[in-house]
Amino acid sequence: MKIHEYQAKILFAEFGIPVPRGRVARTASEAGEIAAELGGKVMLKAQVHAGGRGKAGGIKSAESPDEAAKIAAGMLGRRLVTHQTAPDGAPVDAILVEEALDTQRELYLSIIIDSSQGTPMIIASEAGGMEIEELASESPEKIIRTYIDPGMLEFQPFVARRIAFGLNLEAEQIRPAAALISGLYRLFRARDCSLAEINPLVVTTDGRLLALDAKLDFDDNALYRHQDIAALRDTEQENPLEVDAKGKGIGNYVKLDGDIGIVVNGAGLAMSVMDTLKLAGGRPANFLDIGTLNDPRRVVNAFRILSADLNVKSVLVNIFGGMARIDVIATGIVEAHREMEIKFPVVVRLAGTNLAAGERILSESGLNLIRAKSFREAANKAVAAARRSYPWSVSGDGTCIPDTGEGDYS
Amino acid sequence: MSILVDQNIRLLVQGITGGEGTFHARGCIEYGTRVVAGVTPGKGGILWENQVPVFNTVEQAVKETAANASIIFVPAPFAADAIFEAADAALSPIVCITEGIPTSDMMAVRHYLRGKYIRLIGPNCPGVISPGKCKVGIMVAAAFKEGTVGVCSRSGTLAYEVAAMLTEIGIGQSTCVGLGGDPIIGTTFVEAMELFQQDPGTEAIVLIGEIGGTAEQEAAAFIKKRVTKPVAAFIAGSAAPPGRRMGHAGAIVTGAAGRAEEKKKALAAVGVRIAESPAEIPQMVQSSRVHGSRLRSDED
């Protein structure tokens, strides 16, 4: 789960990590008031769950409270499009107003979990400001990676000192830098973060170290033990279809930008259905793993979500019944068609447990489904159906296109 | 032959009285696995389904029944504790089915297991099956058939799918291991490869990877050094956008190395045959057997 920069900075302050003075504003006049409190000259930072704000016009400076209010009025209520947001951007409902600082250096500091070592890893660099991916490809020699042995009962100061010296800081900055690094580590561990990133970590002209930016992601699986963190979730920043899916008990739905909806059981299988669609010349509209719970309502809810996605032109249901039983899935498909108007052709490929019973349910339902036996055949048919259904879906003169036989659509 | 599980397994089921535990303990017993004990704290003393004694602690269960392996169906907040308890009693393998365990809990588990002769499979996995011998998992037995192909996979459903396709054309499996979809798992591709390489009953290996992490690259490095058996691989997630989590906690591209294409490249470079779709795997395995050719050349 992601949170906003201003929320992350409140957590930073709790762990002794210095941050610029500032507060969050939700209206233009509030932004002006905060700017006045801070002495006039401020930075205004749009609060969205995405990076790349600077280049996208989401970070601006103001010389006076009046100017701050004016800039805030221009940002609030709009959507900010950065290279990390969806094409239609993310809503700006809050702005962080902060003191403007004169800086002499921009550094990079982050903590993630390294899955192959199974330990936290601190990444630090003298070259801050740019994205870490860019940094890794342009100047990998400037990156200091430090694995933290979980056997050290608490974070040991020498690790922080080693990183601080590695960043070529001035002698009097080593102690505060080490304190900052250890604070970030304690925060990371105490709150079950999956990412803690300060980019840039700045040294001001008067020699102070501050977290100019703050990014925290949390382990979704651990949120149950951090209710205060869970309460920081801002669903306005998430895709509304994904929020809706979560509400319907389908946590594993990701909206994508293609036009072929998929309903699959299993994450790996869902990914490979997406891959096979791509090979067949199509583009998936979503990732969706209905899981292994044997409940036809899951399938019905999956159809509800796909029906709400206006980009969907055809749907591919690919279920390999292991834990999931095919008769339950088939019942779900039939119920979905009874309960709502399905406006797209549906390609169904089923295999595994209770297949015969499932087949019987589908054939007795009389539904006009496009059937496929193999993975690839299903993908080809879903792509062909999406292409043919397009003019149909505009004119709206039917509920489902007929299966024209066993022809190969590729 | 097989790896990890066979007729010598005396299985303990942690969480046997819960819904999942009950259902799948039955499935293991039906397959012929010897389930000798169950553990549910507070329910010790009962006889589960009139056949398996239930204990309050793993220690007690092991003392009374000589259980030597465990399968865990304990809810995520308590699952790490269950793994520690099984490891403390020196059970091995420990197969953890539970999905949704916090990553920091698994860091502690992994650290604890380091240097101990205890093998953890999972978490967030379907378990292990050595067809015809033993099942310590939740997979449907009909998809599998006894044979000589070793399968290891981060995804459960893809492992079934591939095993079922192999079975359909008459190719059996020595062992199928679901490694699990989490970022931190007990047994990785490298360890599975090592076991399959050492197993005289395994003639070819299928690796089913996915986006996220670097486990496939590490497998490639290991294959180059140590694996002489033919390997075929499929990597799921070529069509997945970066930065989005695809169901599995570990299936997220956060850096260049996590991309499907990078993993395919690393494996192809050491002679592994790469399938563009899981449906191609059976043919690759079959052609290596029919023509006696290797999926992987020894030139590297």
Side-chain angles (χ1 to χ4, degrees), chain A residues 115-118 120 133 149 151 189 192 219 221 224-225 242 254 256 265-266 268-269 272 275 278 287 320 322-323 349, chain B residues 24 77 100 102-105 107 110-111 114 140 155 157-158 160-161 183 218 237-239 241 244 246-247 254-255:
Chain A
S115 59
S116 65
Q117 293 297 316
E133 285 300 321
D149 188 328
R189 296 288 283 148
D192 277 301
D219 179 0
N221 290 340
Y224 73 89
R225 57 191 180 201
E242 291 178 13
V254 179
L256 302 171
N265 66 323
L269 197 56
S272 65
D275 298 344
K278 201 176 150 197
F287 168 94
F320 188 89
M323 295 263 287
R349 185 254 169 172
Chain B
H24 294 295
T103 307
S104 61
D105 293 10
M107 281 199 285
R110 219 171 71 212
H111 179 72
R114 195 167 292 170
V140 169
S155 151
T157 38
L158 269 184
Y160 304 154
E161 178 90 47
E218 285 146 26
S238 296
R244 300 305 312 271
M246 296 289 130
T254 49

Side-chain angles (χ1 to χ4, degrees), chain A residues 342-354:
Chain A
I342 305 284
K343 294 185 175 171
F344 37 70
V346 178
V347 180
V348 180
R349 185 254 169 172
L350 305 170
T353 315
N354 290 8

Side-chain angles (χ1 to χ4, degrees), chain B residues 181-250:
Chain B
D182 276 2
I184 299 182
I185 50 176
T187 298
T188 63
F189 283 125
V190 168
E191 292 149 314
M193 287 283 147
E194 189 170 19
L195 293 171
F196 280 132
Q197 172 66 23
Q198 289 165 356
D199 174 36
T202 299
E203 289 171 4
I205 305 168
V206 174
L207 180 156
I208 305 166
E210 63 191 36
I211 53 168
T214 53
E216 292 79 4
Q217 284 90 334
E218 285 146 26
F222 182 79
I223 289 166
K224 186 174 180 182
K225 272 193 301 191
R226 299 272 173 78
V227 179
T228 56
K229 294 176 183 177
V231 182
F234 172 72
I235 308 295
S238 296
R244 300 305 312 271
R245 182 164 281 109
M246 296 289 130
H248 285 158

